[in-house]
Amino acid sequence: MEYHKLVISLLVLGCLYKYSTGYVPDLPADIQKCTIADERCLLDGMNYVIRHYAATGSKELGLVQLDPLRIKKLSLGKNPNSPVSIDLSFSNADLIGLSEAQVQRVSAFTSDLSRPIVFDMVSPKVTLKGPYSVEGRVLILPVVGKGNAQIVLENCQVHAVVKLSPVSKGAHQTYAEVTEVKMKLEPSRVTYKLDGLFNGQKELSENLHALINENWREVFNELKSDISGAMGLIFKAVLNKTIGNLPLEQLFSDF
Ligand SMILES: *[C@@H]1O[C@H](CO)[C@@H](O)[C@H](O)[C@H]1NC(C)=O
């Protein structure tokens, strides 16, 4: 993955759940165990978890609250070769809307975890909302600002390829770790609303909003690999925490 202009300094998710050692919980009773190769069951299971636990998180599943998902820090760096060259950072932002996400496909696991897992999802509307600062150049305009921002991605198609690696912690205690996530986002529309641009100079702010909202596709395309990379790291942290919470012997009926 291309990270040349991506600086994700300290991307830490808030309040991750921890279990005390020695006690190995089972899968919650309302969640059906699947066999590792049953794609339909895995798909239904993931959608069940999103519908029932995204808004609250689940201690038993080691799942953080997904909606809103608190993002402590997320930053993109300038790329002098791109028409969109900005330092953009968010701190303590919320990603809102993931509870409406639908997994459309999840590929089967293999018993040695050697085959990457492919996820396809769609999220009708996700909003990144929170304090931001920006400095740089967008197409022909210089940009500088600090305040609250809201970036909305509509009908966002998400394609992720996840590499896993098994870690044995004893007999019948094989844990999966997420070693790599490659993610691609394809929204059908992106809208930007940035408060506090140009020290509150209204006309400059309106010009920039018109420019980036009318040319949202070009702007997003320039930032896509960085934004996808950042979202991939977030997904990786959430998934690693969840999948590493229970041994595979308890997640699957035939592992
Ligand atoms: C994944 O989680 C395990 C603990 O379950 C941790 O040791 C490991 O560092 C994590 N890996 C990543 C990439 O977050």
Side-chain angles (χ1 to χ4, degrees):
M1 191 166 283
E2 300 279 308
Y3 283 122
H4 54 277
K5 65 168 177 164
L6 175 65
V7 187
I8 301 204
S9 48
L10 247 170
L11 194 155
V12 189
L13 295 160
C15 63
L16 295 175
Y17 295 117
K18 260 212 182 84
Y19 264 106
S20 54
T21 49
Y23 168 62
V24 180
D26 202 353
L27 202 57
D30 60 332
I31 296 174
Q32 202 196 336
K33 269 185 205 190
C34 300
T35 58
I36 58 171
D38 188 346
E39 296 190 354
R40 182 76 227 180
C41 178
L42 293 168
L43 178 68
D44 291 344
M46 287 193 70
N47 281 319
Y48 179 89
V49 167
I50 291 171
R51 274 201 312 281
H52 288 81
Y53 296 110
T56 55
S58 162
K59 257 186 210 200
E60 283 168 296
L61 290 172
L63 182 69
V64 297
Q65 184 182 20
L66 294 179
D67 197 0
L69 179 66
R70 174 52 65 96
I71 297 171
K72 289 233 164 146
K73 195 161 171 70
L74 187 159
S75 21
L76 311 183
K78 282 183 183 161
N79 177 0
N81 300 319
S82 164
V84 180
S85 181
I86 51 175
D87 283 321
L88 171 66
S89 63
F90 280 87
S91 56
N92 294 319
D94 279 328
L95 197 62
I96 301 159
L98 287 180
S99 58
E100 302 294 319
Q102 272 201 335
V103 184
Q104 297 162 311
R105 172 166 180 250
V106 51
S107 67
F109 287 68
T110 51
S111 54
D112 63 356
L113 303 184
S114 63
R115 190 165 68 203
I117 314 294
V118 179
F119 292 97
D120 284 299
M121 292 172 268
V122 67
S123 204
K125 184 176 171 181
V126 275
T127 304
L128 179 65
K129 190 176 177 183
Y132 83 101
S133 68
V134 68
E135 190 274 312
R137 186 175 44 79
V138 177
L139 308 175
I140 49 168
L141 291 184
V143 55
V144 59
K146 195 175 165 64
N148 281 302
Q150 189 167 311
I151 301 178
V152 180
L153 277 64
E154 284 171 55
N155 295 315
C156 193
Q157 194 73 43
V158 181
H159 178 78
V161 180
V162 175
K163 287 190 184 164
L164 300 169
S165 155
V167 179
S168 176
K169 294 185 181 170
H172 308 294
Q173 287 194 54
T174 314
Y175 289 80
E177 256 192 56
V178 180
T179 55
E180 187 185 297
V181 171
K182 286 195 172 167
M183 182 171 274
K184 213 160 55 180
L185 304 179
E186 289 290 348
S188 70
R189 174 95 174 108
V190 182
T191 43
Y192 300 88
K193 189 174 176 305
L194 309 167
D195 296 341
L197 282 179
F198 306 106
N199 272 317
Q201 294 181 69
K202 199 157 168 265
E203 198 172 327
L204 288 176
S205 171
E206 281 172 1
N207 286 345
L208 187 90
H209 276 96
L211 180 77
I212 60 181
N213 284 314
E214 278 161 27
N215 299 284
W216 69 269
R217 194 182 290 279
E218 290 75 11
V219 172
F220 188 78
N221 278 343
E222 293 301 321
L223 301 174
K224 185 157 76 179
S225 79
D226 284 3
I227 291 177
S228 297
M231 291 301 161
L233 287 184
I234 292 165
F235 185 62
K236 181 179 175 183
V238 171
L239 189 65
N240 184 51
K241 197 76 199 167
T242 307
I243 202 164
N245 187 54
L246 289 176
L248 295 167
E249 287 84 353
Q250 288 182 55
L251 283 174
F252 296 110
S253 58
D254 62 342
F255 191 88

